[in-house]
Amino acid sequence: MAFTFAAFCYMLALLLTAALIFFAIWHIIAFDELKTDYKNPIDQCNTLNPTVEKVKKIKRVKIALKLVLPEYLIHFFFCVMFFCAAEWLTLCLNLPLLAYHVWRYMSRPVMSCPGLYDPTTIMNADILAYCQKEGWCKLAFYLLSFFYYLYGYVFHFRICPSC
Amino acid sequence: MSGFTNLNSSVGYSQNSTPNGGAAPPYQNGPVQTYPAMYPPAGYYGAPPQQQGYSTIPGHAAPAPNKAPVTNNAHSANYYHNNHQQQQNHLPQHHVAPSPYSAPLSSAPPSQPYAALPSAAPPPTNAHYNQQPFQPHPPYATPGSYYGQQSYHPSSARQHPSLVPVTASGPGAPLYPIVSYPSAPGSSQYGTLSSSQSTSAPVGMPTQMVGAPLHQYSAAPPPSTTAVQPGYGVGPPGQTAPTVVNGQGSAAQNAVHQHYTQSHQASLSYDSYSGVPPGSGGADTDQPPSGTPSTSVHSSPGHHQGVQYGYVANSGASSASATTSGPAAAAAAAAAAAAPSSSSSDDDDEEEDEDEEAGGDTSSSTTGSASPVPNSYDSLEGGSYPDSMPPSNDMTNQAAPYGSYGYPSMQSAYQQGPASHTDASPSHDLYGQSGYQQYSQPFPNLSQLSAALGGLSGVPELEVEALRPVNLLQERNLLPPRPLEAPEPNVSSDLKKVNCSPQTFRCTLTSIPQTQALLNKARLPLGLLLHPFRDLQQLPVITSNTIVRCRSCRTYINPFVTFLDQRRWKCNLCYRVNDVPDEFMYNPVTRSYGEPHKRPEVQNATVEFIASSDYMLRPPQPAVYLFVLDVSHNAVEAGYLKYFCESLLENLTKLPGDVRTRVGFLTFDSTIHFYNLQEGLSQPQMLVVSDIDDVFIPSHDSLMVNLKESKELVKDLLTSLPEMFSQTRETHSALGPALQAAYKLMSPTGGRITVFQTQLPTLGVGALQAREDPNQRSSAKGVQHLGPATDFYKKLALDCSGQQIGVDLFLLSSQYADLASLACMSKYSAGSVFYYPSFHYIHNPAQLEKFQKDLERYLTRKIGFEAVMRIRCTKGLSIHTFHGNFFVRSTDLLSLANVNPDSAFAVQMSVEDSLADSSLACFQAALLYTSSRGKRRIRVHTLCLPVVNQLSDVYAGADVQAITCLLANMAIDRSVSSSLSDARDALVNAVVDLVSAYKSNVSNLQQSGLVVPASMRLFPLYILALLKQKALRTGTSTRLDERVFAMCEFKTQPLQQLMRLVHPDLYRLDNMSDQGALHLNDTVVPQPHLLHLSAERLSRDGAFLMDCSNVFYLWIGKCCNEMFIRDVLGCPNYASIPPNMSHIPELETPLSERVRAFLDWLQDNRAFSCTIHVVKDDASAKATLFQHLVEDQSEVASSYRDFLQHIQQQISK
């Protein structure tokens, strides 16, 4: 009943993926709010005076948009963990997303602070649609990988006694 | 100023303003230890120029503000007089009614959509209008119009008295909104706002709450204001009394005053709903028409319906006598006062709550029903904008002329009233009966009609012409003889008449495809081009308690709504059925009750509302202008400063604004210099801040000063400024820190920052590197660095936009200055960019002249502050992308810190849901802004277009110019986000796609060659011209800054300007005939034919004029008729024409007069005046002209024929 490093990685990934799912949902909600909120303009970059009622909502959106970097880092972190644990298959499954994250961050608009979204272009329908789609795809990916990690965790936990 | 003091007495509010209230926290930004950075003023500021300044100025200083009342009075007298005359005219025979109305307007340029112009190109409404009175024959055939003589007469007969409510309620207008605003139902909004604002700004002492606001907008509050404060504080009483009353009886004066006092009290206890203190409810509102004003002032909130009717009766009655009797006018004011309470009906609570939720912070969605502003037709800024508005002394002054100003603004409504009531509305007679049913029919009928048209059975002539297949390879003369007009939407003639002017609002497809699939099939972009704040000669301005809007989508009522019956209307955008509020039942135009469809709102597609306090987040800001001037060595070399100062000195009194107008100056090189212009100083003080890493404001209350109070100091400064820096050796430029300082100076109020920059910023934040490689300018492989190098300017612009500050940039650089980065400061703060490449005051006189002309226009043009624009469209359509200078706040909301009359916007649209269930698609752009006089106004434009389900109809309605402009905007986005070659490919593909789509879907003829519908026959030509335009061309050496500037222009120029930039108009001038000439005010304006832009059209024996939007080229051929040269240019022969001639002499010869008349006519509608260059055949300047001949082959770009062949190859591939 040894608790191997691989099993630990899977456990960690499981927990972190749960967080990522949460992030993804937040992300989706944020963009949905941006898109559908015709009457209550949301000020995702706090450039305009928000009324008090709006502040909470705006904060939520802002937080959601700020979660991008943590999300990337978390994902990168457990990719490294899998690398260390020599879980090659799992790593391969994660590599495309990792590559996408790197590309996405490289091609971000000119900005002096960390971040991905430019408040001046975010309302552009194409970009908004793209971001929404991205959110849904990621949610799907994280959900699938959640179950995959669950399986991996249980698998590693179970086979260990035999070895 | 006075207005503000008053406003600030509202409790929730004052907090807002405290942070910057001059008294409370003066030096928050400037810690003591940083102060040593300031030099003593004397060192920089030389005394001698000062003295001179003093000696000269008092001599010619025109005390403009003092003039104001005089002008006002004069105007009032005029209008008064007019009014009278009209009445006299009317009474005996109302047939003649139209003539007095149209007469004063006859000088309006033809572009004016609503102007009644009998002579030149009468717009449809006008034609209609002119005809109607003399056409006794019965209704039109179309179901929409029930015009009958019978119905017309009564209305025209009643016309004159109906003027009077306007006049009568006039006084209320300027005075009232201010006073009443604290008591607004929306005052809770203030509360919320202020609290949120106070988080962002340093909070002032709460104990100062009432007092502090005084200082906010006035550098030095005069004692009189403070004295008034406990009362109502509209202004210094000394000024108020005479102006308000304007020669009325003293009773009136009392009335007005008393009224104010009352409403002020109300404002303090604003929980009482109507803005009237409970105590004042004693006197009831149903005043007798002649009522003693003093009693009629007070109105009780409990008086809902009764009051409303009462008000109607009142204003009517009082108006009837207003022209003659003073007290009656006062009664009208009283009636107006009564109105606010009347509007506080039971459902207000609900309405308001809804509003809070529905985005109280965007001012564009607020209640339509409960507004405390009384019914008054605002006067001063009526749509008709004279060149220079008489500066008014005080808010109260505006009220003075008793609606006299209101009259012209209303005039249009009047004119419209009788004119259009004939078409889109049932006649009186039909009213009680089936009138309404019938009225609602036009729309369904229209749908049937257009459906029938879609079937291509009975296609009208126009459509046939638009659909005629044109083989581009065969037809060579594609250009129409006159510049292309916007295609008319294929809607019923009634709707056509009221539809928005194409100059303001234009759609790429005048027939909207029913589904996205159809739109995709057509391969044409769907979008709008709008020019919302365009200078209009005539604009119905409406002030009413209730701005009627749809309850669910907040659409403003417009001519395209359907009245289901007398009490309900159906929104044309979301199809919700709404109630017609009681007040709306009364029509001020015909002065009759029960005709909601004849209100000006329903008769005009472009209207302006005076907004109530519901539409404000804070009191309307004053006009505040800050000039940020580069005074580095480079700038001194270029020598712009002198001309700027001269121009500003000249136009100081013409700056749009009122008594509260504030100005400030800030200069910078490697340090930042502030100027203390506080009233009472003997000379301007310069404060230098050399710590550019941590910029602070040395003095809070004396840097932005009231223009009126410190005018002498400002003049002093402007006269001495050019010399002050003439010896400077400082070559660095700390633009970034200077902008930060400017932002800090302006953030309490908002306003406009004008930046003059002459080189690449090199110091502090926002410093930039030269990125351009001159050797790569003409390289075909992609142009780099079209995007910004840093986001500093963008972030600054967003901060500015948040504080309602617009930043305008004048770049006068001879070297690369990275406009791509710098322009961001204007792009996202809704500013404008001006660029003068290689500006030098001696070496480049052409640029200097342009700079001076632009500056004059820039300084004097109208301006709107703290604006937002919302674009609504029929359910099913959605907005995809915006183009222009603004910040997008929500999917359909643009935040515009400043709005100017010269900037336009483009919107890409998409069809989200099928539009099958409606036959008409409508678009509404509502621009909410604060005028330079501190009035909150909403300008609403509505466009109505048919929906079609046939591809051929889509093509028939295609507007080739609008499509080209929208594509240009899209291409520019693409070239920044992707690459220039991508953008160019996309443009070529647009042509290829169109031709192949048309070939495969519509034209059944198996023709060879390039076949396009006639409506799109110019499309390939325009696209080719676009590809050769500075912004998008490759191959030719183009400086990066010029390219970026061209891109900026594409994003902001209105369509007509843009089209001339892309495809200039070419005319032959030496053989103009009078055929088809226009006759305007005794001058004959010849109308020569448009020529193709090809060198083969130029002949050596001719003289040709090329109109490139901002510059004219007059090309003189070598063998040009000597008579022409002599008569027009004043030179004996070709050889003696000077090489750099840039004006046309005013000669007395008929030919010269003709040419000048034509040139003037061309310039007439342009905001910025054009320069003219006479280009000789052999001159080197020829190249600049020839680069515009887009149909010809250049070294790198193909000719038109080659381009067509290229397209054909692409298709056959």
Side-chain angles (χ1 to χ4, degrees):
Chain A
M1 207 66 175
F3 191 66
T4 59
F5 183 59
F8 171 72
C9 282
Y10 278 112
M11 196 192 69
L12 203 67
L14 197 65
L15 294 177
L16 290 177
T17 309
L20 289 185
I21 289 172
F22 201 60
F23 284 10
I25 291 173
W26 228 345
H27 180 101
I28 291 169
I29 291 174
F31 277 100
D32 201 55
E33 267 179 1
L34 278 184
K35 189 180 180 182
T36 54
D37 213 52
Y38 285 88
K39 284 186 188 132
N40 310 351
I42 290 177
D43 214 358
Q44 74 274 30
C45 53
N46 201 19
T47 52
L48 298 150
N49 314 330
T51 56
V52 166
E53 307 96 84
K54 306 285 153 45
V55 167
K56 261 189 221 159
K57 208 171 191 181
I58 291 162
K59 267 196 191 138
R60 203 163 69 223
V61 173
K62 273 172 76 180
I63 289 169
L65 298 183
K66 272 188 183 154
L67 286 179
V68 169
L69 210 54
E71 180 194 330
Y72 288 9
L73 291 179
I74 288 172
H75 186 253
F76 178 73
F77 170 69
F78 66 68
C79 282
V80 170
M81 294 287 279
F82 283 128
F83 178 79
C84 297
E87 289 292 324
W88 305 121
L89 177 67
T90 315
L91 187 63
C92 286
L93 290 176
N94 273 301
L95 270 184
L97 185 64
L98 196 65
Y100 172 76
H101 282 167
V102 171
W103 170 81
R104 188 90 164 87
Y105 209 73
M106 287 305 182
S107 60
R108 75 196 186 114
V110 182
M111 273 173 135
S112 53
C113 52
L116 203 54
Y117 302 109
D118 180 355
T120 57
T121 55
I122 194 103
M123 295 309 296
N124 188 317
D126 283 334
I127 294 177
L128 210 55
Y130 177 84
C131 291
Q132 267 186 313
K133 220 176 278 170
E134 185 192 29
W136 284 111
C137 291
K138 272 192 185 165
L139 181 63
F141 180 84
Y142 290 142
L143 272 177
L144 286 178
S145 49
F146 180 82
F147 291 109
Y148 174 77
Y149 298 146
L150 189 65
Y151 166 78
Y153 172 61
V154 172
F155 179 77
H156 278 273
F157 213 65
R158 255 190 50 206
I159 57 169
C160 281
S162 61
C163 57
Chain B
M1 168 187 74
S2 49
F4 270 85
T5 23
N6 170 35
L7 296 172
N8 286 329
S9 52
S10 130
V11 179
Y13 207 14
S14 34
Q15 235 184 355
N16 250 337
S17 23
T18 353
N20 313 295
Y27 292 120
Q28 289 211 345
N29 281 329
V32 184
Q33 62 267 34
T34 39
Y35 257 76
M38 291 164 46
Y39 303 141
Y44 270 72
Y45 210 83
Q50 211 47 48
Q51 297 301 338
Q52 282 176 353
Y54 265 117
S55 58
T56 51
I57 284 167
H60 62 82
N66 294 344
K67 271 186 191 165
V70 180
T71 355
N72 281 351
N73 286 339
H75 276 254
S76 82
N78 276 344
Y79 288 122
Y80 223 56
H81 190 60
N82 263 349
N83 207 347
H84 223 78
Q85 274 188 336
Q86 274 164 16
Q87 286 178 17
Q88 285 167 352
N89 283 346
H90 280 291
L91 287 171
Q93 40 159 192
H94 30 255
H95 266 303
V96 202
S99 57
Y101 284 102
S102 51
L105 303 162
S106 57
S107 60
S111 73
Q112 184 31 247
Y114 302 115
L117 243 197
S119 57
T125 31
N126 172 37
H128 194 89
Y129 184 69
N130 283 340
Q131 286 166 11
Q132 281 316 327
F134 307 105
Q135 273 183 352
H137 64 67
Y140 278 46
T142 37
S145 57
Y146 307 97
Y147 174 77
Q149 205 194 359
Q150 283 179 330
S151 65
Y152 185 71
H153 275 256
S155 77
S156 78
R158 258 179 267 161
Q159 212 167 19
H160 94 263
S162 63
L163 291 171
V164 192
V166 184
T167 346
S169 45
L175 292 172
Y176 212 94
I178 308 149
V179 180
S180 57
Y181 141 30
S183 63
S187 48
S188 52
Q189 277 178 2
Y190 293 165
T192 54
L193 172 76
S194 64
S195 48
S196 72
Q197 268 203 342
S198 56
T199 57
S200 63
V203 184
M205 289 175 248
T207 46
Q208 289 269 342
M209 282 220 292
V210 180
L214 269 179
H215 305 274
Q216 192 192 358
Y217 293 112
S218 58
S224 60
T225 337
T226 7
V228 187
Q229 199 202 342
Y232 77 93
V234 162
Q239 280 177 330
T240 321
T243 42
V244 165
V245 180
N246 199 21
Q248 318 283 342
S250 62
Q253 188 178 346
N254 283 341
V256 174
H257 267 280
Q258 203 167 348
H259 170 57
Y260 281 120
T261 331
Q262 292 296 349
S263 63
H264 172 70
Q265 285 169 8
S267 73
L268 287 177
S269 59
Y270 66 89
D271 44 324
S272 93
Y273 217 26
S274 61
V276 182
S280 71
D284 271 354
T285 358
D286 298 66
Q287 313 97 336
S290 62
T292 44
S294 47
T295 50
S296 61
V297 172
H298 318 284
S299 56
S300 87
H303 231 80
H304 311 316
Q305 295 291 38
V307 168
Q308 224 146 20
Y309 291 104
Y311 149 63
V312 167
N314 242 330
S315 61
S318 58
S319 59
S321 52
T323 37
T324 47
S325 78
S341 59
S342 73
S343 67
S344 66
S345 55
D346 292 324
D347 61 345
D348 276 352
D349 269 315
E350 186 194 331
E351 185 85 47
E352 191 190 332
D353 289 347
E354 189 184 304
D355 253 275
E356 294 275 342
E357 260 174 40
D361 70 328
T362 87
S363 17
S364 86
S365 57
T366 15
T367 91
S369 74
S371 96
V373 178
N375 188 344
S376 54
Y377 282 90
D378 173 67
S379 26
L380 280 174
E381 292 204 353
S384 45
Y385 243 78
D387 260 351
S388 57
M389 305 165 297
S392 100
N393 226 359
D394 198 326
M395 298 304 283
T396 43
N397 277 0
Q398 300 184 1
Y402 258 88
S404 45
Y405 275 99
Y407 176 62
S409 64
M410 208 33 221
Q411 194 177 22
S412 53
Y414 275 105
Q415 197 202 347
Q416 284 300 310
S420 34
H421 96 259
T422 54
D423 44 64
S425 50
S427 70
H428 296 224
D429 312 2
L430 293 172
Y431 237 0
Q433 309 143 23
S434 60
Y436 274 106
Q437 269 72 12
Q438 276 181 312
Y439 182 59
S440 60
Q441 270 177 11
F443 301 93
N445 276 2
L446 197 90
S447 78
Q448 291 154 16
L449 200 78
S450 66
L453 293 181
L456 268 177
S457 43
V459 193
E461 254 173 66
L462 245 168
E463 202 164 321
V464 173
E465 169 53 29
L467 271 178
R468 180 175 61 89
V470 175
N471 190 339
L472 293 172
L473 292 173
Q474 282 161 9
E475 281 200 43
R476 303 221 51 204
N477 288 317
L478 297 170
L479 284 180
R482 302 290 319 129
L484 209 59
E485 297 281 327
E488 286 223 321
N490 185 19
V491 289
S492 74
S493 57
D494 308 328
L495 293 181
K496 249 181 216 167
K497 265 168 217 137
V498 289
N499 224 341
C500 199
S501 149
Q503 286 185 50
T504 305
F505 215 143
R506 211 154 150 176
C507 186
T508 56
L509 304 176
T510 51
S511 303
I512 304 291
Q514 209 172 59
T515 58
Q516 182 71 33
L518 186 62
L519 177 60
N520 292 342
K521 227 168 152 190
R523 313 294 289 171
L524 290 172
L526 175 62
L528 304 170
L529 287 120
L530 46 153
H531 190 183
F533 203 53
R534 194 166 71 91
D535 282 329
L536 295 165
Q537 262 81 14
Q538 215 184 5
L539 174 70
V541 178
I542 297 157
T543 310
S544 66
N545 290 341
T546 37
I547 295 177
V548 180
R549 302 173 65 179
C550 171
R551 280 178 75 102
S552 77
C553 68
R554 313 302 296 154
T555 300
Y556 296 83
I557 197 164
N558 59 68
F560 312 108
V561 300
T562 326
F563 282 95
L564 296 177
D565 56 40
Q566 195 139 3
R567 305 296 308 184
R568 291 180 306 154
W569 61 278
K570 191 174 167 191
C571 173
N572 54 336
L573 299 197
C574 67
Y575 308 120
R576 187 198 150 108
V577 177
N578 294 276
D579 293 336
V580 176
D582 274 339
E583 197 207 330
F584 202 74
M585 299 298 290
Y586 172 73
N587 182 1
V589 179
T590 55
R591 240 198 96 221
S592 52
Y593 190 80
E595 294 175 345
H597 58 284
K598 285 179 190 163
R599 297 261 309 189
E601 294 97 317
V602 192
Q603 295 291 339
N604 296 284
T606 296
V607 290
E608 187 152 294
F609 294 98
I610 307 295
S612 63
S613 56
D614 301 345
Y615 293 81
M616 302 170 193
L617 287 172
R618 52 176 191 175
Q621 65 163 92
V624 182
Y625 306 109
L626 176 64
F627 298 94
V628 179
L629 306 163
D630 182 2
V631 292
S632 62
H633 180 70
N634 201 30
V636 173
E637 275 293 286
Y640 82 92
L641 201 54
K642 177 164 163 269
Y643 297 93
F644 163 74
C645 291
E646 274 175 10
S647 184
L648 186 55
L649 264 179
E650 252 170 53
N651 295 308
L652 210 51
T653 50
K654 292 190 213 152
L655 282 178
D658 53 12
V659 275
R660 302 180 302 158
T661 305
R662 297 165 71 189
V663 291
F665 296 88
L666 193 156
T667 56
F668 66 95
D669 39 34
S670 61
T671 53
I672 302 167
H673 324 127
F674 297 86
Y675 296 89
N676 183 346
L677 300 168
Q678 179 119 50
E679 192 191 13
L681 286 174
S682 59
Q683 59 173 35
Q685 262 183 343
M686 183 199 240
L687 308 168
V688 179
V689 173
S690 58
D691 183 8
I692 55 168
D693 295 325
D694 180 22
V695 185
F696 63 93
I697 309 293
S699 149
H700 271 274
D701 47 356
S702 56
L703 300 178
M704 300 300 299
V705 293
N706 188 305
L707 179 60
K708 195 184 137 219
E709 287 161 7
S710 300
K711 182 167 269 174
E712 291 310 313
L713 282 172
V714 170
K715 284 182 172 174
D716 258 4
L717 179 66
L718 287 176
T719 34
S720 53
L721 205 55
E723 286 94 56
M724 278 164 66
F725 297 96
S726 57
Q727 300 305 318
T728 186
R729 293 264 172 277
E730 187 53 67
T731 53
H732 285 293
S733 160
L735 176 65
L739 285 173
Q740 283 178 329
Y743 168 69
K744 282 184 184 167
L745 263 183
M746 296 286 279
S747 50
T749 48
R752 181 176 80 186
I753 298 177
T754 313
V755 180
F756 291 82
Q757 172 72 6
T758 59
Q759 58 172 320
L760 205 61
T762 51
L763 278 185
V765 281
L768 297 168
Q769 259 87 47
R771 294 189 291 168
E772 187 188 28
D773 178 3
N775 301 322
Q776 295 287 308
R777 272 182 196 157
S778 61
S779 90
K781 51 165 186 218
V783 179
Q784 302 290 307
H785 307 308
L786 289 171
T790 163
D791 69 340
F792 169 77
Y793 295 99
K794 183 163 82 186
K795 274 160 77 183
L796 187 100
L798 292 181
D799 288 344
C800 285
S801 172
Q803 298 299 325
Q804 310 294 356
I805 305 165
V807 185
D808 292 341
L809 172 67
F810 282 78
L811 186 64
L812 310 110
S813 168
S814 46
Q815 252 130 42
Y816 175 72
D818 202 352
L819 187 61
S821 302
L822 293 182
C824 287
M825 71 171 101
S826 301
K827 253 185 208 168
Y828 303 112
S829 66
S832 34
V833 180
F834 299 85
Y835 178 49
Y836 305 90
S838 37
F839 178 89
H840 194 280
Y841 70 113
I842 298 172
H843 304 319
N844 201 341
Q847 287 287 15
L848 178 64
E849 192 193 346
K850 187 168 177 324
F851 174 66
Q852 284 175 306
K853 282 182 172 171
D854 287 2
L855 204 56
E856 192 192 345
R857 161 75 184 166
Y858 172 78
L859 292 172
T860 54
R861 74 185 177 187
K862 213 178 149 186
I863 186 169
F865 297 98
E866 42 186 10
V868 284
M869 181 165 74
R870 198 184 282 273
I871 296 167
R872 297 182 173 86
C873 42
T874 296
K875 206 162 68 182
L877 292 166
S878 73
I879 292 167
H880 189 273
T881 309
F882 291 100
H883 301 276
N885 287 358
F886 46 71
F887 172 63
V888 191
R889 256 213 274 176
S890 172
T891 30
D892 59 349
L893 184 76
L894 301 180
S895 151
L896 307 163
N898 283 181
V899 57
N900 67 69
D902 303 323
S903 62
F905 305 90
V907 188
Q908 266 170 266
M909 313 277 308
S910 55
V911 185
E912 260 185 2
D913 300 324
S914 167
L915 300 167
D917 51 349
S918 60
S919 62
L920 293 171
C922 292
F923 304 90
Q924 186 171 72
L927 177 75
L928 172 70
Y929 67 98
T930 302
S931 76
S932 49
R933 312 236 157 159
K935 266 313 152 42
R936 207 69 176 140
R937 289 165 160 255
I938 311 163
R939 189 173 290 188
V940 180
H941 305 284
T942 316
L943 179 73
C944 175
L945 298 172
V947 174
V948 296
N949 54 12
Q950 294 290 317
L951 198 55
S952 54
D953 294 343
V954 176
Y955 283 128
D959 180 343
V960 64
Q961 290 189 321
I963 289 172
T964 310
C965 289
L966 188 64
L967 281 175
N969 275 308
M970 291 159 70
I972 280 155
D973 270 3
R974 176 75 71 91
S975 60
V976 174
S977 66
S978 173
S979 74
L980 193 63
S981 54
D982 254 21
R984 289 170 57 87
D985 290 348
L987 284 177
V988 177
N989 285 338
V991 182
V992 175
D993 285 350
L994 168 74
V995 177
S996 40
Y998 184 69
K999 200 172 180 180
S1000 58
N1001 291 319
V1002 179
S1003 75
N1004 301 319
L1005 328 157
Q1006 289 302 316
Q1007 277 181 342
S1008 61
L1010 285 176
V1011 184
V1012 293
S1015 58
M1016 293 296 289
R1017 68 190 187 281
L1018 291 171
F1019 188 53
L1021 180 58
Y1022 284 158
I1023 292 296
L1024 179 68
L1026 256 186
L1027 293 174
K1028 292 184 175 184
Q1029 229 280 333
K1030 239 177 216 167
L1032 295 167
R1033 71 187 176 191
T1034 53
T1036 328
S1037 178
T1038 310
R1039 292 167 61 188
L1040 189 53
D1041 276 350
E1042 289 187 29
R1043 187 189 292 277
V1044 172
F1045 178 64
M1047 289 184 171
C1048 293
E1049 287 219 298
F1050 267 113
K1051 286 275 192 170
T1052 54
Q1053 291 289 316
L1055 183 135
Q1056 292 299 334
Q1057 296 276 97
L1058 209 52
M1059 278 323 292
R1060 278 189 293 256
L1061 275 179
V1062 173
H1063 188 269
D1065 296 338
L1066 183 69
Y1067 307 95
R1068 180 165 186 164
L1069 290 192
D1070 62 328
N1071 58 358
M1072 288 188 293
S1073 70
D1074 273 355
Q1075 199 184 358
L1078 296 176
H1079 295 264
L1080 300 171
N1081 307 333
D1082 339 320
T1083 50
V1084 180
V1085 182
Q1087 302 282 294
H1089 282 203
L1090 272 185
L1091 298 176
H1092 275 268
L1093 290 171
S1094 162
E1096 65 182 331
R1097 306 292 173 133
L1098 301 176
S1099 63
R1100 280 170 176 238
D1101 58 347
F1104 295 84
L1105 181 79
M1106 186 185 278
D1107 174 4
C1108 304
S1109 178
N1110 44 19
V1111 59
F1112 290 126
Y1113 294 105
L1114 179 57
W1115 187 82
I1116 308 289
K1118 255 193 187 113
C1119 317
C1120 181
N1121 191 347
E1122 293 226 336
M1123 194 184 84
F1124 181 86
I1125 296 176
R1126 197 177 54 240
D1127 284 0
V1128 175
L1129 300 176
C1131 301
N1133 54 34
Y1134 176 78
S1136 61
I1137 301 174
N1140 281 326
M1141 196 169 174
S1142 59
H1143 71 284
I1144 302 289
E1146 298 206 358
L1147 302 175
E1148 294 292 305
T1149 58
L1151 194 56
S1152 172
E1153 271 164 18
R1154 244 5 130 59
V1155 170
R1156 281 186 287 117
F1158 181 58
L1159 284 172
D1160 288 346
W1161 179 78
L1162 285 177
Q1163 287 211 10
D1164 223 20
N1165 292 321
R1166 295 185 204 181
F1168 293 97
S1169 56
C1170 315
T1171 47
I1172 184 159
H1173 296 289
V1174 179
V1175 179
K1176 288 167 77 174
D1177 194 7
D1178 48 2
S1180 55
K1182 209 172 104 174
T1184 54
L1185 176 101
F1186 274 66
Q1187 73 176 1
H1188 292 294
L1189 297 176
V1190 293
E1191 289 187 30
D1192 292 341
Q1193 187 161 14
S1194 67
E1195 321 88 88
V1196 281
S1198 55
S1199 71
Y1200 181 54
R1201 295 207 71 71
D1202 293 347
F1203 181 68
L1204 289 182
Q1205 251 135 31
H1206 174 71
I1207 300 286
Q1208 199 172 23
Q1209 280 167 12
Q1210 294 278 313
I1211 290 167
S1212 51
K1213 242 196 287 189

